Amino acid sequence: MFTLGIDIGSTACKAVILQDGARVEARAVVPLGTGTSGAGDVLQKVLAVKNRQIEDMERILVTGYGRFTFAGADSQKSELSCHARGVNFLFPSVRTIIDIGGQDIKAMRVNAKGFLENFVMNDKCAAGTGKFLDVMARIINVKVNDLGEIGLKATEEVNISNTCTVFAESEVISKLSAAVRIEDLVAGIHRSVAKRVASLAFRNGIVPEVAMSGGVALNKGVVALLEEEIKRNILVHEDCQLAGALGAAVLAYEELHK
Amino acid sequence: MGEQVGQKPKRELPRSRVLVAEQTAKIYRDAFAAKARGEKVGWSTAIFPQEICETLDIPVLYPENNAASISAKHLGGELIEHAEGAMQYPSRICSYARLNMALADKIQDPAYSKADPLMPSPDFLLLANNSCTQLMKWYECLSRDLGIPIFFIDCLFNYYEEKPAKHKITYIRKQIEKYIWDMEAFSGKKFDWDKFLEVQKRSQINSKLFDEIIRLNMRTPAPMSGFDFFNYMSCLVLARGKESTTVIFEQLKKEVEEHIANNTTTFPSEEKYRVHWEGIACWPNLGHNLKTLKNYNVNAVINGYVTAWNVDYEPGDLDSMASAYASSSTNSLSTNTIMNMRADTIENYNCDGMLCHVNRSCKMMTFHIFVGRHIIEERTGVPCANFDGDQSDERIYSEAQFETRLQGLVEIMQHRKEANHG
């Protein structure tokens, strides 16, 4: 039996096909967000991995910002619950999840079964989100996916404000004109994200073990500095960006067996 | 004109709501009429000893209440832009203040008619800083711009005790006494202490009646959508000492009791979850809030905001009155006191969760939530979720954000209910 989870985020769409609620059969990511062809593309892409048909899916559960508009969904859940279940699938020992998505930061506490216990999210501000990193990468003229490696080569950190993306953008531009090293600048950007996210995580309470989900978890520079800020190790799975979609597929399976 | 095809027929307003609208319209009409006769009209902060002007029969209107009404009608945006643009006020100050200071400026032009409800320009200001310190700068600006006096009652905050200390009560009582003498001199009217006692008694009857009505929502399922209470707050702000408010509350109580007897409710869907709403209403987004709550079967059965106007004291006892005005607003209390009050309410109303409006305008109210949330969670065990919004500034609110956070809260509440029922 196959269940399909789709996470239609603000900047990327992710999909996971789960077999019998226990084994990941296929995964796909498309770097296009809600309101684009991303949702349809990721569906085709994940089905093509093992040459499946949509009819093979017993149940489809959709999450993320585009969860209300996907026509083929059997049900939808908030990305909070989906990330909680997805990370629990990957790391059952985790009790605190930090998810940095395209426009949201979430700090979640979960129980042993992966049920959400409490959460806090960022206010209506892009500082510290994936969008913040996108903007910074564009100004520095590097690929956002390369930021992590670049930041790890820093010899010192340039101080960057974490209160506002627009202010930080002009700050980065002024640092660039002062000819600071790109690596040091990137590390400063990562530090500003880490501090912002850490304050949110502290507000919700941090219970070990801690894991990160969402696309920004792939940025090793941010993860390392966030570990410093919260003074704990952070688990990052290679499928961290897929945690929401994976959780959606798990929840779809559970809905069939209720 | 007949009903248009495809349009949902409007729900008939209950009699109590009709009476509220009539009372509010009369209060505004009377204020304009007094102004036209050359009599003095005041503007007042929301929790000010209104009994004194009521006794002297001097019309008073309330900018905070007025700003809420204008915002709920989506008419506040233009005024806020005027405050931030032409008047050069920063966007970070209270949106009620921005909206009201812009209105005060606009109504100097007799042809101005866009805001609804309009207020006549004031001749004096009544200011008590018991709910907010920014009120002082707001009213100072009004006073300077309009060249009118402020009657100020300074209320010390109660950060270190649950009830106001004796010296604070004495300090406020003496200010109330002086205010009475000053207002006599300002208005040229003699203060009638017998009438004052009657107004005090009426205020207490009305406060207690409203409290009784709200308590009826402890029942599960609740007879009222908690948001309905927002519609009656104006009675306590504008007309706490008037008999017409008693008539409205008696009617409302009858209607709620009828709902209980008939097992009906004003909440527009099945009440699966009960939450405590914390913070001021998002007036411009009330419709989206309610629609989303309805879709997720969440009734915000109680909130601390609607009970802030129950100024509870012993008529004839100025010390008791001073104490009540010093502590009615939860903003004048410590985080510990407020959050324990909220925890009591959550238990008494059998709430499954707490939904907190992080109000960009009212930092004082909001920050209690940030530092005191653990008190709620530890004492009651219910989950709390925050969302961003504002009491008047529509730009702060995000519909998608509100829905995601409410849905997250619902999913936690649902899981806990399922776990509790095996």
Side-chain angles (χ1 to χ4, degrees):
Chain A
M1 175 196 293
F2 298 110
T3 56
L4 171 61
I6 304 176
D7 179 0
I8 305 172
S10 61
T11 56
C13 291
K14 291 78 68 178
V16 167
I17 295 174
L18 199 61
Q19 186 174 15
D20 299 327
R23 196 183 68 80
V24 174
E25 158 152 302
R27 49 176 75 76
V29 178
V30 169
L32 294 169
T34 183
T36 69
S37 62
D41 292 354
V42 85
L43 175 64
Q44 296 310 318
K45 198 172 169 184
V46 78
L47 289 171
V49 173
K50 289 283 175 75
N51 207 19
R52 299 283 176 203
Q53 304 299 312
I54 188 99
E55 293 77 21
D56 297 334
M57 302 299 119
E58 289 281 331
R59 193 166 181 85
I60 302 173
L61 194 149
V62 182
T63 188
Y65 269 87
R67 66 191 181 280
F68 300 112
T69 52
F70 187 80
D74 294 304
S75 63
Q76 55 85 16
K77 288 267 185 198
S78 77
E79 49 266 47
L80 290 149
S81 289
C82 290
H83 274 272
R85 299 310 300 275
V87 171
N88 179 260
F89 185 94
L90 299 170
F91 295 122
S93 59
V94 162
R95 296 292 173 270
T96 300
I97 301 167
I98 297 167
D99 168 58
I100 309 179
Q103 61 180 24
D104 275 339
I105 310 166
K106 310 175 191 76
M108 296 167 269
R109 291 208 312 265
V110 297
N111 67 14
K113 291 181 176 172
F115 284 106
L116 194 59
E117 292 201 316
N118 221 334
F119 65 93
V120 292
M121 292 174 74
N122 58 319
D123 54 13
K124 198 177 166 188
C125 169
T129 66
K131 178 59 77 180
F132 178 87
L133 291 171
D134 286 344
V135 170
M136 298 306 148
R138 184 172 47 78
I139 302 165
I140 300 170
N141 198 24
V142 299
K143 286 181 184 165
V144 71
N145 293 342
D146 295 338
L147 283 175
E149 293 297 334
I150 295 170
L152 291 175
K153 291 174 189 156
T155 52
E156 59 181 314
E157 285 173 20
V158 175
N159 189 35
I160 299 292
S161 153
N162 67 0
T163 55
C164 170
T165 304
V166 178
F167 290 157
E169 184 177 2
S170 56
E171 230 179 310
V172 167
I173 291 167
S174 71
K175 302 285 184 195
L176 283 170
S177 65
V180 298
R181 287 180 73 232
I182 293 292
E183 292 84 352
D184 297 347
L185 192 53
V186 170
I189 291 165
H190 289 167
R191 177 70 71 185
S192 82
V193 171
K195 281 181 181 291
R196 179 105 179 172
V197 174
S199 65
L200 202 71
F202 282 128
R203 201 188 304 161
N204 203 42
I206 299 172
V207 179
E209 292 181 303
V210 182
M212 266 185 82
S213 62
V216 177
L218 296 168
N219 180 322
K220 288 176 184 169
V222 169
V223 175
L225 295 180
L226 187 55
E227 284 179 322
E228 272 182 39
E229 293 293 333
I230 67 168
K231 298 178 178 59
R232 289 187 190 281
N233 290 331
I234 296 175
L235 302 173
V236 178
H237 196 277
E238 60 186 358
D239 283 339
C240 59
Q241 193 181 8
L242 291 152
L246 176 58
V250 171
L251 286 164
Y253 180 80
E254 287 179 4
E255 286 180 357
L256 284 172
H257 291 81
K258 247 185 177 175
Chain B
M1 196 172 131
E3 195 174 287
Q4 287 180 23
V5 177
Q7 271 197 343
K8 208 173 156 186
K10 271 199 165 178
R11 198 178 61 159
E12 196 180 332
L13 283 180
R15 176 80 187 135
S16 58
R17 285 281 301 280
V18 175
L19 292 174
V20 172
E22 287 174 0
Q23 174 175 263
T24 306
K26 182 176 185 315
I27 289 167
Y28 274 79
R29 216 168 39 238
D30 288 350
F32 274 105
K35 185 82 182 174
R37 291 192 300 271
E39 294 172 21
K40 290 183 166 65
V41 173
W43 283 6
S44 173
T45 54
I47 311 178
F48 187 90
Q50 46 80 33
E51 294 85 344
I52 286 108
C53 273
E54 184 71 36
T55 302
L56 289 164
D57 206 16
I58 298 171
V60 174
L61 294 175
Y62 295 81
E64 292 155 77
N65 177 263
N66 176 262
S69 300
I70 289 172
S71 304
K73 291 171 185 162
H74 301 279
L75 296 170
E78 199 175 308
L79 289 168
I80 286 172
E81 280 172 23
H82 180 67
E84 292 174 10
M87 299 180 77
Q88 301 181 28
Y89 284 109
S91 61
R92 293 186 175 218
I93 63 168
C94 168
S95 56
Y96 279 174
R98 274 176 281 153
L99 192 158
N100 175 253
M101 290 189 291
L103 183 72
D105 189 45
K106 289 276 189 185
I107 58 177
Q108 301 313 310
D109 174 2
Y112 178 77
S113 63
K114 264 191 168 175
D116 179 27
L118 277 172
M119 294 194 290
S121 191
D123 301 291
F124 66 94
L125 300 164
L126 304 176
L127 164 63
N129 58 351
N130 46 11
S131 61
C132 166
T133 49
Q134 203 170 98
L135 285 166
M136 292 192 287
K137 274 292 159 196
W138 168 5
Y139 274 55
E140 188 185 314
C141 292
L142 286 175
S143 170
R144 260 204 324 251
D145 289 349
L146 302 173
I148 56 174
I150 304 177
F151 296 89
F152 174 42
I153 294 184
D154 182 25
C155 299
L156 302 172
F157 282 27
N158 311 292
Y159 292 135
Y160 304 107
E161 64 267 333
E162 290 198 3
K163 297 284 178 195
K166 189 158 183 356
H167 70 277
K168 293 182 185 173
I169 294 171
T170 306
Y171 176 58
I172 295 169
R173 191 200 70 222
K174 284 185 178 297
Q175 292 181 79
I176 293 174
E177 287 169 347
K178 183 170 185 308
Y179 160 56
I180 292 171
W181 303 327
D182 288 347
M183 191 47 85
E184 273 187 316
F186 180 72
S187 66
K189 293 181 177 180
K190 181 79 185 142
F191 193 73
D192 179 343
W193 287 88
D194 292 334
K195 187 179 174 191
F196 180 50
L197 183 63
E198 292 310 308
V199 171
Q200 286 184 311
K201 285 179 183 168
R202 183 59 56 192
S203 292
Q204 290 311 294
I205 289 168
N206 289 337
S207 289
K208 286 185 171 60
L209 250 177
F210 194 58
D211 192 46
E212 278 172 37
I213 293 162
I214 288 174
R215 284 170 178 274
L216 292 173
N217 241 26
M218 286 181 183
R219 191 173 182 274
T220 304
M224 296 279 281
S225 165
F227 269 39
D228 282 344
F229 292 132
F230 289 137
N231 298 312
Y232 299 93
M233 278 172 16
S234 65
C235 297
L236 286 175
V237 178
L238 287 169
R240 191 159 55 240
K242 290 188 193 296
E243 205 170 336
S244 51
T245 290
T246 314
V247 173
I248 292 169
F249 286 169
E250 283 173 345
Q251 173 63 28
L252 173 60
K253 192 175 175 195
K254 202 170 82 183
E255 289 165 5
V256 179
E257 285 171 343
E258 275 173 16
H259 278 300
I260 292 172
N262 299 331
N263 208 22
T264 54
T265 175
T266 64
F267 185 62
S269 68
E270 184 193 352
E271 179 187 287
K272 288 185 183 169
Y273 308 101
R274 298 162 67 87
V275 299
H276 184 302
W277 175 284
E278 181 62 14
I280 298 177
C282 275
W283 295 113
N285 310 100
L286 218 50
H288 183 261
N289 288 155
L290 182 59
K291 188 180 84 181
T292 315
L293 287 164
K294 182 191 88 173
N295 290 345
Y296 286 89
N297 303 101
V298 178
N299 189 357
V301 291
I302 183 66
N303 71 69
Y305 184 47
V306 293
T307 55
W309 324 104
N310 291 358
V311 186
D312 184 14
Y313 61 85
E314 190 59 44
D317 180 352
L318 271 187
D319 274 345
S320 166
M321 188 178 174
S323 175
Y325 276 102
S327 55
S328 174
S329 165
T330 48
N331 276 359
S332 67
L333 305 173
S334 71
T335 298
N336 199 44
T337 304
I338 297 166
M339 288 299 137
N340 276 304
M341 283 167 65
R342 299 295 188 248
D344 289 343
T345 311
I346 284 167
E347 286 169 355
N348 291 337
Y349 285 75
N350 198 22
C351 293
D352 306 298
M354 190 177 192
L355 186 59
C356 306
H357 172 200
V358 176
N359 182 356
R360 187 69 65 93
S361 276
C362 196
K363 308 262 190 315
M364 287 193 69
M365 196 174 267
T366 295
F367 287 154
H368 290 302
I369 297 165
F370 284 112
V371 292
R373 176 179 145 173
H374 69 280
I375 299 174
I376 300 290
E377 291 177 342
E378 284 163 16
R379 258 201 60 191
T380 67
V382 306
C384 306
N386 295 353
F387 71 94
D388 292 282
D390 192 86
Q391 57 205 24
S392 281
D393 192 338
E394 296 191 48
R395 298 168 296 187
I396 311 300
Y397 184 77
S398 157
E399 292 189 353
Q401 189 200 63
F402 178 74
E403 179 152 11
T404 296
R405 292 175 194 201
L406 178 65
Q407 191 177 14
L409 180 66
V410 166
E411 286 165 3
I412 299 174
M413 295 189 295
Q414 181 187 11
H415 170 64
R416 290 190 183 180
K417 273 182 187 276
E418 286 170 358
N420 287 339
H421 291 100

